[in-house]
Amino acid sequence: MITGVFSMRLWTPVGVLTSLAYCLHQRRVALAELQEADGQRPVDRSLLKLKMVQVVFRHGARSPLKPLPLEEQGGMFAGQLTKVGMQQMFALGERLRKNYVEDIPFLSPTFNPQEVFIRSTNIFRNLESTRCLLAGLFQCQKEGPIIIHTDEADSEVLYPNYQSCWSLRQRTRGRRQTASLQPGISEDLKKVKDRMGIDSSDKVDFFILLDNVAAEQEKMGSCRFHGS
């Protein structure tokens, strides 16, 4: 009985290790085939089959989240997707169409809900960005309803969620005040506000200034994608 127990305890890990060794060997073989030096033995791509594609993207260019005092927004709401942002997302959709519809026949030319799952945060600029991307990808052709899946704000995980994560709230509490206390920051901010004609009593910091500068660059036609 004792011998049987020891035998079982001995062979069980040996079997696991053998399986791991075999898996590692197979992985090394696969990597070696993909990494042949100087292309002497290129991989036959006809033997490869694309199984799944995940595309993660941010929204296109937007207006500032908090406009500077006395600055005109041009009739736009804060944080709204701009015309440039719409064009950016449509162009990204066209690139995906070329890659996964034309060059590699992975997706159907028309939208098929059985092939594509769409997820977005429930923020207007992100929903609009997603719609523009889909318009570029499928050229407004569809076989069924296009459903963009979202989640409730208190359980969203696609952005830093201060509502549901106590630890995140604790770690980021007072970060703006801490940043403003860094040596020379207050003096530099005062100089910038004076030169821009912003009243010293207005609550404007470098985070707001940076956001406005980035939004202005996007409005001028930059192809870089925006931040939050």
Side-chain angles (χ1 to χ4, degrees), residues 201-213:
S201 61
D202 288 324
K203 293 184 177 180
V204 175
D205 56 26
F206 278 117
F207 293 104
I208 296 173
L209 288 171
L210 178 62
D211 183 64
N212 277 264
V213 169

Side-chain angles (χ1 to χ4, degrees), residues 68-121:
L68 295 175
L70 306 178
E71 184 172 289
E72 292 291 334
Q73 275 287 91
M76 298 191 70
F77 294 106
Q80 182 177 342
L81 192 69
T82 65
K83 183 178 179 180
V84 171
M86 296 177 186
Q87 294 170 341
Q88 288 174 333
M89 302 313 297
F90 186 86
L92 178 57
E94 289 184 315
R95 283 171 51 194
L96 294 173
R97 182 179 181 85
K98 184 178 186 309
N99 289 343
Y100 300 113
V101 176
E102 298 171 3
D103 295 349
I104 302 174
F106 181 68
L107 290 174
S108 302
T110 58
F111 176 82
N112 183 344
Q114 300 299 317
E115 294 181 346
V116 182
F117 177 85
I118 309 162
R119 174 77 161 85
S120 173
T121 54

Side-chain angles (χ1 to χ4, degrees), residues 1 24 36 48 98 142 152 157 159 205 214 226:
M1 178 66 71
L24 289 172
E36 286 291 337
L48 304 178
K98 184 178 186 309
K142 59 180 183 177
E152 297 295 331
V157 296
Y159 54 70
D205 56 26
H226 211 284

